[in-house]
Amino acid sequence: MPQIVQGIVARKKFVYLCTNAILLPKHIDEYEPSPYFTWSIHLDGLQKRHDESVCMKGVFDKAVAAIKLALARGYRVTINCTLFNGEPPAEIADFFDYAMSLGIEGITVSPGYSYQHAPRQDVFLGRTESKELFREVFKRGKERKSRWVFNQSSMFLDFLAGNQSYQCSPWSNPTYSIFGWQKPCYLLVDEGYAPTYKALMEDTCWEQYGVGINPKCDNCMAHCGFEGSAVNDTFAHPLAAMRVAMFGPRTDSVMAPNLPVRYGSRTDAAPARIPVHAIQPSGADMNEG
């Protein structure tokens, strides 16, 4: 891994190296600080919540110690967290306040997605539950005047709060591993792999995936697919994105409508093949409200 990171950084490409940080103190000297290199350390909440999430006591304390060590050594540091069912909004707001107090650059956050092979399905949020939870969290941030920095686009945060009706853009964050290029995203592990990037883009039936298109995708609001849609929308509606960035997502208005369910209907069968570049976020016209 150090050699891979060094090679990517040498090309002036950005690396966010995700880790649970358990072994970070042991290996930190194998890396060098760089503007192109960031430790992305996994934290799902404060001590009790995070240790329960990873099913291991003491991991929270190790992660926090690793964050402090990396910052002291001059590294860029962010955290990544997943929010699950049953988490009180006030507790999440406390966690975000604490995370920022450590001196990290920002937070990457996503609602938990009920992928097929997860050992527990009861911990995951549905789409409506996700939107309501994020609204309550953002509302508390405004009430506290907290200075949370998210390592995500403002329009994705607006989507999490239920203000955008985006469709997934799974090709926007492709996943490559020793098995090849994963189709269509890293969360659906049974869809197979493409041998090349060209094959991934041209041979994957992208129109068979998405909210309301494939039951496997219905509860997903993960950043791997929807951040790309939000970024496209940001370029299409920069003023709307700037408003959200300045004032935060709306937390008290009517939510954007859900996408229609197309599967299971003979009249709403999967569309003909559509070029990837021609597919746009479905909620783009709603941003000017």
Side-chain angles (χ1 to χ4, degrees):
M1 186 60 70
Q3 288 82 1
I4 293 173
V5 170
Q6 184 179 17
I8 297 174
V9 168
R11 298 173 61 191
K12 295 186 177 181
K13 303 295 183 181
F14 290 94
V15 177
Y16 282 79
L17 186 56
C18 184
T19 174
N20 60 18
I22 293 176
L23 299 178
L24 183 58
K26 180 180 178 180
H27 295 283
I28 192 169
D29 291 330
E30 299 171 12
Y31 301 84
E32 295 181 3
S34 167
Y36 295 97
F37 177 62
T38 301
W39 293 106
S40 177
I41 295 178
H42 176 218
L43 276 181
D44 279 343
L46 295 172
Q47 185 178 48
K48 181 180 178 181
R49 175 69 63 174
H50 181 67
D51 287 356
E52 289 178 349
S53 174
V54 300
C55 302
M56 185 181 296
K57 291 184 178 181
V59 177
F60 176 86
D61 292 335
K62 291 180 179 179
V64 169
I67 290 172
K68 294 178 179 178
L69 173 62
L71 289 171
R73 295 286 187 88
Y75 289 94
R76 300 180 62 187
V77 180
T78 63
I79 67 164
N80 66 84
C81 63
T82 304
L83 303 186
F84 295 99
N85 190 25
E87 298 194 46
E91 183 178 306
I92 296 170
D94 291 341
F95 167 56
F96 287 168
D97 283 340
Y98 175 75
M100 294 305 304
S101 74
L102 295 173
I104 62 170
E105 289 190 9
I107 300 166
T108 301
V109 63
S110 185
Y113 163 65
S114 56
Y115 58 97
Q116 286 178 290
H117 296 289
R120 288 185 59 188
Q121 294 293 323
D122 60 306
V123 299
F124 295 107
L125 294 160
R127 292 178 68 81
T128 299
E129 293 172 315
S130 294
K131 297 170 187 177
E132 291 173 347
L133 175 61
F134 276 95
R135 281 201 170 195
E136 290 300 316
V137 172
F138 292 148
K139 184 182 297 183
R140 281 159 175 76
K142 291 180 179 180
E143 293 170 350
R144 301 179 181 194
K145 295 182 170 53
S146 297
R147 300 181 65 84
W148 300 334
V149 178
F150 292 97
N151 197 36
Q152 290 157 304
S153 69
S154 61
M155 297 306 283
F156 177 73
L157 300 177
D158 208 39
F159 163 72
L160 292 180
N163 299 320
Q164 304 295 332
S165 294
Y166 292 144
Q167 183 55 277
C168 175
S169 300
W171 55 85
S172 62
N173 284 296
T175 298
Y176 179 76
S177 71
I178 59 174
F179 303 108
W181 295 89
Q182 188 168 333
K183 300 186 296 184
C185 70
Y186 84 98
L187 291 168
L188 297 182
V189 298
D190 292 333
E191 307 300 304
Y193 297 85
T196 65
Y197 178 76
K198 185 174 186 292
L200 174 73
M201 292 293 109
E202 295 181 358
D203 298 339
T204 303
C205 295
W206 300 107
E207 67 273 12
Q208 294 181 2
Y209 302 99
V211 178
I213 300 172
N214 191 316
K216 297 178 182 178
C217 305
D218 277 355
N219 284 324
C220 182
M221 296 180 69
H223 56 282
C224 62
F226 291 94
E227 180 68 89
S229 304
V231 170
N232 277 344
D233 199 23
T234 297
F235 283 103
H237 302 86
L239 294 181
M242 183 175 67
R243 285 198 297 270
V244 178
M246 292 176 62
F247 303 110
R250 300 191 308 272
T251 58
D252 55 3
S253 57
V254 176
M255 289 188 183
N258 293 322
L259 296 175
V261 176
R262 296 214 309 264
Y263 56 81
S265 171
R266 296 181 62 184
T267 58
D268 290 328
R273 292 302 301 270
I274 305 171
V276 167
H277 60 78
I279 302 177
Q280 297 297 327
S282 62
D285 294 334
M286 303 178 58
N287 300 329
E288 304 301 337

